[in-house]
Amino acid sequence: MGGQGGSIRSHLLESTAQRATLTGVTLVALMVLLAWIVCYGAGGSQTVAPHIFYVPVILAAVRFGPWGALAAGLAAGFAAGPLLPLDVAAGTSQEPLNWGLRAGAFILIGELAAFLTIHSRPSIRGQIAKTVMRRDLRHALDARHLHVQYQPIVDLSTRRIVGAEALVRWTDPDRGPRYPDEFIPLIEDAGLAHLVSDFMLDEVSHQLREWRSIGLIDADTGFKLAINVSGTELQGDRLENKVRDTVIGSRIPAAWIHLEVTETALIDDLDVAVRGLQRLRGVGVRLAIDDFGTGESSLRYLHRFPVNTVKIDRSFITALVDDERGRSIVAAVVSLASDMGLVTIAEGVETHAHAQILAELGCDMAQGYHFNRPLPPAEFERQLRGRTTRRT
């Protein structure tokens, strides 16, 4: 049945494409004919310059590309040449040189239009897709189609869950799950970073309060729940006030909330970032540098950031097993962070070998698919009850 259904869908798509092509060819042909009727009715090429023929030529170029532009240019050149008198009333024909040059111009303009269309189409499609995604994302926020999943953070020495990273997810009622790689990069570009941060803080604080009420966490567990925030949020005191209101309103320890900012965002405007981090630290939340190692000046500026945690980028973790240089880099980062009193968390840990090497290097914590994928609240809660990861 599945094969038959796929064959039917393929046939329907092919038929639709054929009909669309036939419709396009018919439209171009009718526009060439209409241009000829207009020019002939106006008295011929001597009375009216046949520029109207450029319309079907450009349409064919945009719709069918270079070969379509060539075919339409030849058809328009023939209709505007031998088939169009110089003077209809006098019955005077055009000189071959005149209509030949005109046909050449039709073809040249058509090919140019096809070239520009081919090279600009991906950019245009990309911009349209981004615009639609921004609109849908705004609607998703208003309609509460966003939700949160939690990826466990594991202590490498005990293999017990000591926290989680809260990750925003989007399920569209019509299209189903939307991939994070699609919409997360657009959050800041669409001017929605502060709204998403507020949403995440509200969801996370509610979840922390609930877990505390049922005895899963308490002030002595050292539990941490990490949230990603945009570098632009460090400007001004809006985020600081929101975090303070959230902590006070939820009556949870501020230290349970960890705010993560990417290293690149911090280095882009160093002074503003440092002041913003200092304000947030004054509220009592913990701070982390996310994707550490991807910036150009990681070690140079590390001492300036008032952070508690360094999250080692996944690109360094994948090189641990087979690349001695990659292992040396991770060892250096772990050693430096330890000397500065910072906690290290490795991201993207996908194998037992990765976890074992990180533990040997002295890395404190890790997260990744080796331990567990991002989980809905109920599933993460079950993991939290056992305090152990699914894999060991």
Side-chain angles (χ1 to χ4, degrees), residues 258-316:
H258 285 223
L259 301 181
E260 299 180 359
V261 188
T262 62
E263 177 193 354
T264 305
L266 293 174
I267 294 174
D268 281 345
D269 197 336
L270 189 62
D271 293 333
V272 170
V274 169
R275 289 194 295 270
L277 292 174
Q278 288 172 339
R279 288 193 299 268
L280 289 169
R281 187 159 185 170
V283 179
V285 295
R286 301 298 179 123
L287 302 170
I289 300 178
D290 198 12
D291 300 336
F292 186 78
T294 57
E296 298 179 358
S297 306
S298 309
L299 302 179
R300 180 180 176 186
Y301 295 119
L302 181 57
H303 69 282
R304 292 197 57 185
F305 299 127
V307 297
N308 311 95
T309 303
V310 170
K311 299 192 73 173
I312 305 171
D313 186 68
R314 66 181 62 246
S315 61
F316 294 101

Side-chain angles (χ1 to χ4, degrees), residues 69 115 118 159 265 275:
F115 175 82
I118 290 173
R159 299 302 173 93
R275 289 194 295 270

Side-chain angles (χ1 to χ4, degrees), residues 208-209 212 217-220 223 247-248 250-258 283-286:
L208 286 170
R209 187 171 63 249
R212 182 176 63 177
I217 57 176
D218 56 48
D220 297 326
F223 190 83
V247 169
I248 294 174
S250 302
R251 297 181 180 179
I252 57 174
W256 284 358
I257 297 178
H258 285 223
V283 179
V285 295
R286 301 298 179 123

Side-chain angles (χ1 to χ4, degrees), residues 176-200:
R178 307 295 291 267
Y179 293 106
D181 290 345
E182 287 183 276
F183 70 88
I184 288 179
L186 290 177
I187 288 176
E188 185 168 342
D189 185 45
L192 301 176
H194 65 290
L195 295 178
V196 175
S197 295
D198 290 353
F199 166 78
M200 294 294 288

